[in-house]
Amino acid sequence: GNSVTQMEGPVTLSEEAFLTINCTYTATGYPSLFWYVQYPGEGLQLLLKATKADDKGSNKGFEATYRKETTSFHLEKGSVQVSDSAVYFCALNTGGFKTIFGAGTRLFVKA
Amino acid sequence: SQTIHQWPATLVQPVGSPLSLECTVEGTSNPNLYWYRQAAGRGLQLLFYSVGIGQISSEVPQNLSASRPQDRQFILSSKKLLLSDSGFYLCAWSVRLAGANTGELFFGEGSRLTVL
């Protein structure tokens, strides 16, 4: 079946450090891929998405490239801020009603 | 613009008591609606989804149920709560497309349920 695996957290970085959160997936067909972010005590918000191979999603300085050959969708940001502290979820959808989420990766950014 | 609200935000209930969580969407028509549960340190588990009034699909058998009495209202219920029902419950909606789903979800603020 379809699944998403993302690196375990927590990830702790200093402000202005480079961020990578790894995400790999298993899916039949051609899924759309997503990164969602959850700030403390809130629901999830869509951060970025990519719908086909080699697409790059980007938003608020975050980027992720849909790599079909490695079945990956790693999240990156060149310089993190304290306000980026949150839980990040990688997710996929193959066109049905069920969006599959990874377990989430908690990011702490220290000033 | 579209908004989604769910309530209550926090709920502490004894084992065996009933549950009702409500969710409403504004600014859109005919949305697909979803209930997810997020257990501590884990990902999101899809509980129910609905493509229209009175149409409910269950993903995981359990003592919870869902209803959609109006186009933009989605309710999660239980007659008797279990300790294992504790968690963070998230309502979400997506645009309804004929024969497909974009997979892009818009979430409410969440309802934290503690069963004691």
Side-chain angles (χ1 to χ4, degrees):
Chain A
N2 299 336
S3 66
V4 174
T5 303
Q6 56 182 110
M7 63 188 291
E8 290 188 24
V11 174
T12 303
L13 296 173
S14 297
E15 208 166 23
E16 299 184 2
F18 184 85
L19 168 71
T20 300
I21 299 178
N22 291 336
C23 171
T24 57
Y25 67 90
T26 301
T28 54
Y30 303 94
S32 294
L33 301 174
F34 307 85
W35 277 101
Y36 286 84
V37 59
Q38 183 180 32
Y39 298 103
E42 299 183 7
L44 279 70
Q45 305 172 24
L46 179 66
L47 181 59
L48 54 84
K49 65 179 181 181
T51 57
K52 60 182 186 297
D54 300 325
D55 270 2
K56 177 184 284 188
S58 61
N59 186 26
K60 299 181 181 179
F62 291 89
E63 293 182 340
T65 301
Y66 190 140
R67 301 286 189 198
K68 193 172 189 298
E69 63 276 13
T70 55
T71 61
S72 65
F73 192 54
H74 304 321
L75 182 68
E76 297 181 336
K77 187 176 186 182
S79 176
V80 294
Q81 306 300 313
V82 172
S83 57
D84 294 325
S85 297
V87 181
Y88 293 82
F89 292 91
C90 185
L92 71 81
N93 183 281
T94 54
F97 293 102
K98 192 168 185 177
T99 296
I100 307 296
F101 288 84
T105 303
R106 185 175 295 277
L107 170 66
F108 292 106
V109 181
K110 302 180 299 184
Chain B
S1 63
Q2 301 90 359
T3 57
I4 177 170
H5 300 287
Q6 58 177 111
W7 68 94
T10 305
L11 198 59
V12 180
Q13 292 286 99
V15 169
S17 63
L19 171 73
S20 180
L21 301 179
E22 295 193 29
C23 170
T24 60
V25 180
E26 297 176 359
T28 187
S29 297
N30 304 315
N32 295 324
L33 296 173
Y34 309 82
W35 278 110
Y36 280 86
R37 177 169 58 201
Q38 182 181 15
R42 299 174 63 179
L44 276 70
Q45 178 186 36
L46 178 62
L47 302 175
F48 302 94
Y49 68 88
S50 171
V51 300
I53 296 173
Q55 301 179 60
I56 309 295
S57 296
S58 174
E59 284 293 306
V60 182
Q62 60 218 320
N63 71 320
L64 299 172
S65 62
S67 62
R68 185 170 178 174
Q70 300 180 41
D71 181 49
R72 291 172 290 176
Q73 183 184 24
F74 205 25
I75 298 171
L76 183 69
S77 303
S78 174
K79 293 182 179 179
K80 288 186 176 182
L81 284 169
L82 306 174
L83 286 174
S84 57
D85 291 325
S86 293
F88 193 54
Y89 289 82
L90 290 158
C91 182
W93 71 274
S94 68
V95 174
R96 185 187 303 176
L97 298 174
N101 186 26
T102 66
E104 184 171 341
L105 298 169
F106 302 91
F107 285 87
E109 307 94 337
S111 298
R112 185 164 301 284
L113 170 65
T114 302
V115 182
L116 301 176

